[in-house]
């Protein structure tokens, strides 16, 4: 068994891995950016090493700095979590080639095969697992799309061959739309992924997103551990996941499980992985395989009783899985809500970074909280906005649904806005209760414009956590973090200078409501409130716009944000195009 694991990640997933290690008697090594010097994962780990930098690219994606921390700590295993390096074949190779450290992840070759859509589709086809009817050839001529539509029916989906996450997918409803759709799909594919190749599939109009958890060891064992229904999503951000999928016949589950195992075995998979499918009208179609542990893995853990991180560590140590397919007994129903630092009122889901001033975590029967922060911690705009995952188990779906609503009513987060009101709205909706939702349901059917069901907005008014007389001070010596206890009279205790936003004292910092922009500044110049990438331009020069109308969509903090016009008038200039990087305060549109 491994004895010391470095977690090349932050936030809740780093905490999740640390907890599994502790139960296995494995010591833990955290790494941290400048902004995370005091983060929860650093506080919990046995050792911690500075990576330097603030942005992800400067810190958690800094290969040299992480390899250096591995060497200095003597870690014999590296867990990548999700995101960051988790699906980076080059990083995996660098770890494996070091010869001394185990990579707690899949073989780099499997990451590569599944990394591009076309080879992933071919890999599934090779083992007899069907994707949505379509082609594995690249589209070279719009005529191919018209012929395909005539044969398989409209609509047709045009997808980026080297893309992912729904970026650049275009839906073509009729032959006369083909030319424009293909052009814009290629343009977006080039902007997002640097390559413009596209392929096509029949477009499913009301699918559910169902994914199958698999895990494989190095002894030839590969099992499926049940499915998750992740249909409750908005703009490709999952909001709620559950297992088992509701109204999902067992023979289909068995067939999907067998298909997922075939796909995994077909690419010599080792480690935990997820095979994604679309499910519509009793049929399922392979979509892609995620070669990592996923955010929503806890719902599978609650219905199976399997600790997936523990199994990952066993497998990376060269041990066999601790259970077989026949041992598995999936019981009851689990639901997860991703509690994000976003303001979901008015359906905007705008990022809400800042300091958590108070946090009350739900408790009681069947409730699990996988958090990345505690009260006093700061959610930085530089990383993703997941505050924590609230997961419940119940003997059946309705019990779990009502338990989640109860648990959400206990969750109190002060200082930042969270998506809790949206979760309450989804879970209490008749369509969700009846499991009549699909991947389009949140966007098309859920009305979030009304008042939030339970206002969990900041209560604050300068309520700092109680100052302690004993103080643990973290010092960094030569890039390594140490904790030192000091005892200071309360009156002399200076609060640490928090990096970033949170000013202290009587200043009473108030978040400006996001999106309202510069106020006194020139309302005709629409600026973006944070750094990010332009993913949509919704207006053109000469167009009339209304006050508050969305003019561009900005991707920041891994989510899409509508940027509104700050006055009504005519668009006189469009300063950005899809794919452009912008910084906070940059002018994107001018209105006269
Ligand atoms: C589709 C589809 C319907 N028909 N393909 C979007 C993300 C990407 N991984 C695949 N996606 C889709 N592909 C065909 N042929 C609908 C989606 C889709 C979707 C899929 C999974 C989860 C959420 C989704 C939201 C919108 C569209």
């Amino acid at each position: 068994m491994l004895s010391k694991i470095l977690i090349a990640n932050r936030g809740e997933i780093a905490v999740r891995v640390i907890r599994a290690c502790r139960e296995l008697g494995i010591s833990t090594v955290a790494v941290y950016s400048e902004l995370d010097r005091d983060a929860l994962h650093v506080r919990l780990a046995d050792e911690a090493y500075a990576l330097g930098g603030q942005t992800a690219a400067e810190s958690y994606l800094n290969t040299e700095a992480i390899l250096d921390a591995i060497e200095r700590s003597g870690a014999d295993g590296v867990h990548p979590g999700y995101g960051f390096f988790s699906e980076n074949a080059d990083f995996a190779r660098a770890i494996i080639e070091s010869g001394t450290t185990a990579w707690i992840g899949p073989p780099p070759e499997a990451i590569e095969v599944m990394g591009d859509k076309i080879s992933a589709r071919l890999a599934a086809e090779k083992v007899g697992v069907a994707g949505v009817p379509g082609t594995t050839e690249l589209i070279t001529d719009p005529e191919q799309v018209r012929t395909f539509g005539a044969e398989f029916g409209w609509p047709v989906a045009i997808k980026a061959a080297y893309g992912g996450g729904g970026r650049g997918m275009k839906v073509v409803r009729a032959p006369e739309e083909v030319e424009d759709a293909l052009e814009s799909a290629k343009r977006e594919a080039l902007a997002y992924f640097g390559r413009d190749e596209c392929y096509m599939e029949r477009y499913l109009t009301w699918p559910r997103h169902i994914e199958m958890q698999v895990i494989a060891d190095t002894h030839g064992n590969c099992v499926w551990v049940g499915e998750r229904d992740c249909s409750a999503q908005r703009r490709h951000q999952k909001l709620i996941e559950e297992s088992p999928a509701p109204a999902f016949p067992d023979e289909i589950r068995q067939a999907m499980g067998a298909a997922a195992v075939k796909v995994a075995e077909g690419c010599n998979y080792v480690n935990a992985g997820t095979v994604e499918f679309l499910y519509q009208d009793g049929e399922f179609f392979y979509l892609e395989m995620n070669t990592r542990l996923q955010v929503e893995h806890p719902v599978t853990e609650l219905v199976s009783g399997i600790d997936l991180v523990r199994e990952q560590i066993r497998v990376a140590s060269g041990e066999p899985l601790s259970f077989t397919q026949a041992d598995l007994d999936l019981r009851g129903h689990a639901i997860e809500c991703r509690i994000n630092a976003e303001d979901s009122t008015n359906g905007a889901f705008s990022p809400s970074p800042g300091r958590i001033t108070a946090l009350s975590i739900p408790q009681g029967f069947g409730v699990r909280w996988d958090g990345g922060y505690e009260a006093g911690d700061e959610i930085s705009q530089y990383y993703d906005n997941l505050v924590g995952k609230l997961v419940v188990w119940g003997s059946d779906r309705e019990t779990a649904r009502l338990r989640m609503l109860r648990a959400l009513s206990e969750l109190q987060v002060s200082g930042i806005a969270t998506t809790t009101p949206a979760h309450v709205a989804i879970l209490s909706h008749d369509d969700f209760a009846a499991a009549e939702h699909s991947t389009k349901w949140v966007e098309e059917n859920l009305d979030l414009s009304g008042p939030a069901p339970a206002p969990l907005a900041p209560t604050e008014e300068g309520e700092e956590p109680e100052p302690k007389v004993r103080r643990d001070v973290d010092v960094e010596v030569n890039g390594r973090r140490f904790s030192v206890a000091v005892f200071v009279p309360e009156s002399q205790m200076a609060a640490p200078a928090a990096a970033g936003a949170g000013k202290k004292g009587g200043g009473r910092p108030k978040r400006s409501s996001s999106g309202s922009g510069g106020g006194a500044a020139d309302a005709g110049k629409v600026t973006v409130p944070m750094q990010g990438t332009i993913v949509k331009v919704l207006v053109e020069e000469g167009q009339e716009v209304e006050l508050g109308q969305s003019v561009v969509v900005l991707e920041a903090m891994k989510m899409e944000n509508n940027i509104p016009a700050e006055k009504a008038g005519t668009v006189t200039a469009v300063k950005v195009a899809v794919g452009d990087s912008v910084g906070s305060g940059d002018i994107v549109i001018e209105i006269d």
Side-chain angles (χ1 to χ4, degrees):
M1 202 61 157
L2 301 175
S3 63
K4 192 191 242 192
I5 290 177
L6 180 141
I7 300 107
N9 214 303
R10 63 179 305 284
E12 76 82 20
I13 193 60
V15 172
R16 166 73 187 87
V17 176
I18 290 169
R19 287 183 170 139
C21 290
R22 194 134 299 160
E23 292 173 20
L24 290 164
I26 296 171
S27 59
T28 53
V29 182
V31 289
Y32 59 95
S33 69
E34 281 169 18
L35 298 176
D36 279 341
R37 191 167 287 130
D38 271 318
L40 180 60
H41 75 285
V42 176
R43 301 198 292 269
L44 292 178
D46 298 317
E47 290 171 46
Y49 292 84
L51 298 172
Q54 300 201 342
T55 64
E58 293 163 350
S59 52
Y60 300 100
L61 290 171
N62 182 342
T63 309
E64 284 311 309
I66 293 177
L67 291 177
D68 188 51
I70 294 168
E71 197 177 312
R72 296 180 63 192
S73 64
D76 57 5
V78 175
H79 196 301
Y82 51 71
F84 296 139
F85 279 136
S86 60
E87 293 177 278
N88 185 312
D90 293 335
F91 183 77
R93 274 202 188 94
I95 301 296
I96 294 164
E97 281 165 12
S98 77
T100 52
T101 313
W103 164 244
I104 308 171
E109 298 73 26
I111 299 178
E112 276 165 353
V113 167
M114 294 304 168
D116 104 65
K117 292 299 174 79
I118 298 225
S119 75
R121 226 187 120 107
L122 288 170
E125 241 166 54
K126 197 180 72 188
V127 293
V129 172
V132 187
T135 59
T136 38
E137 283 149 49
L138 303 175
I139 306 169
T140 50
D141 180 349
E143 189 54 29
Q144 288 169 276
V145 183
R146 286 188 284 264
T147 309
F148 180 84
E151 189 180 338
F152 291 92
W154 303 93
V156 171
I158 301 181
K159 296 185 172 186
Y162 299 96
R167 280 287 120 75
M169 180 171 93
K170 289 282 161 216
V171 181
V172 198
R173 305 201 175 266
E176 58 274 17
E177 292 174 13
V178 167
E179 216 111 347
D180 284 355
L182 183 58
E183 216 174 282
S184 109
K186 286 188 158 203
R187 203 169 45 234
E188 285 185 25
L190 188 65
Y192 295 132
F193 312 115
R195 300 187 61 160
D196 75 350
E197 292 93 332
C198 292
Y199 68 104
M200 66 193 148
E201 285 174 357
R202 198 184 111 208
Y203 177 72
L204 305 177
T205 51
W206 191 253
R208 281 160 65 190
H209 173 147
I210 301 186
E211 56 185 33
M212 188 58 72
Q213 177 71 53
V214 296
I215 185 159
D217 64 21
T218 53
H219 300 265
N221 305 301
C222 181
V223 298
W224 57 272
V225 200
E227 78 285 4
R228 297 181 288 258
D229 187 323
C230 310
S231 301
Q233 60 87 43
R234 177 187 173 273
R235 295 196 180 165
H236 308 295
Q237 301 290 330
K238 293 170 183 167
L239 292 165
I240 296 181
E241 302 97 351
E242 58 183 309
S243 185
F248 190 61
D250 195 54
E251 64 269 21
I252 295 191
R253 170 175 304 109
Q254 300 291 330
M256 187 182 276
V261 165
K262 271 201 270 182
V263 170
E265 287 177 339
C267 66
N268 300 316
Y269 200 77
V270 173
N271 183 50
T274 298
V275 184
E276 291 189 356
F277 298 89
L278 290 177
Y279 176 64
Q280 184 176 299
D281 305 324
E283 278 186 284
F284 64 82
F285 307 97
Y286 166 83
L287 212 47
E288 57 197 72
M289 179 168 186
N290 299 319
T291 53
R292 62 170 188 276
L293 181 75
Q294 287 193 252
V295 176
E296 59 271 29
H297 74 276
V299 296
T300 301
E301 296 185 321
L302 292 192
V303 294
S304 67
I306 302 291
D307 179 336
L308 289 168
V309 176
R310 178 194 178 106
E311 296 300 324
Q312 283 189 297
I313 295 169
R314 282 181 65 95
V315 163
S317 307
E319 293 184 29
L321 291 171
S322 70
F323 61 96
T324 66
Q325 190 73 59
D327 292 334
L328 280 173
D329 178 17
L330 304 174
R331 285 185 57 233
H333 200 98
I335 302 178
E336 171 179 281
C337 288
R338 296 190 186 193
I339 308 298
N340 281 329
E342 290 161 24
D343 188 347
S344 61
T345 46
N346 303 319
F349 290 82
S350 30
S352 178
R355 195 156 73 87
I356 300 172
T357 53
L359 179 61
S360 263
I361 292 166
Q363 303 181 17
F365 183 26
V367 176
R368 166 173 171 180
W369 172 259
D370 275 29
Y373 302 89
E374 290 176 331
D377 291 342
E378 181 101 16
I379 310 246
S380 162
Q381 58 156 338
Y382 288 112
Y383 313 120
D384 76 21
N385 41 20
L386 185 64
V387 181
K389 305 179 305 202
L390 181 57
V391 203
V392 301
W393 180 89
S395 51
D396 56 30
R397 185 172 192 260
E398 188 59 5
T399 308
R401 187 181 73 87
L402 295 171
R403 182 163 291 155
M404 180 60 91
L405 283 166
R406 185 272 292 172
L408 286 166
S409 76
E410 292 180 19
L411 177 65
Q412 298 280 338
V413 188
S414 301
I416 53 165
T418 71
T419 43
T420 305
H423 295 299
V424 172
I426 294 169
L427 286 155
S428 35
H429 197 288
D430 290 345
D431 289 355
F432 186 87
E436 281 166 359
H437 60 298
S438 86
T439 52
K440 290 180 161 181
W441 178 81
V442 171
E443 281 155 57
E444 293 183 1
N445 300 73
L446 189 69
D447 184 5
L448 291 167
S449 62
L456 297 173
T459 44
E460 97 264 328
E461 298 330 324
E463 299 219 4
E464 302 287 317
E466 265 260 290
K468 296 186 188 87
V469 176
R470 173 188 160 138
R471 183 137 198 165
D472 294 311
V473 177
D474 301 317
V475 294
E476 199 178 282
V477 180
N478 198 16
R480 179 170 173 188
R481 182 185 187 272
F482 294 90
S483 195
V484 182
V486 288
F487 298 83
V488 191
E490 210 175 297
S491 59
Q492 287 181 24
M493 253 181 35
K503 292 181 194 69
K504 54 178 274 297
R508 196 144 300 180
K510 272 275 177 199
R511 278 187 309 115
S512 63
S513 76
S514 27
S516 62
D522 183 355
K525 292 184 166 49
V526 180
T527 58
V528 293
M530 66 205 112
Q531 67 164 45
T533 307
I534 301 294
V535 294
K536 272 193 197 117
V537 177
L538 302 166
V539 295
E540 45 190 50
E541 247 175 66
Q543 186 178 332
E544 297 291 316
V545 291
E546 289 168 19
L547 173 67
Q549 181 180 338
S550 297
V551 291
V552 300
V553 179
L554 173 75
E555 187 180 82
M557 276 179 83
K558 295 177 104 189
M559 56 177 301
E560 295 187 353
N561 307 279
N562 287 313
I563 307 300
E566 280 151 29
K567 71 174 207 179
T570 310
V571 175
T572 54
V574 176
K575 303 267 193 198
V576 288
V578 167
D580 284 0
S581 294
V582 290
S584 172
D586 284 1
I587 297 167
V588 288
I589 302 281
E590 291 182 2
I591 302 167
D592 197 17

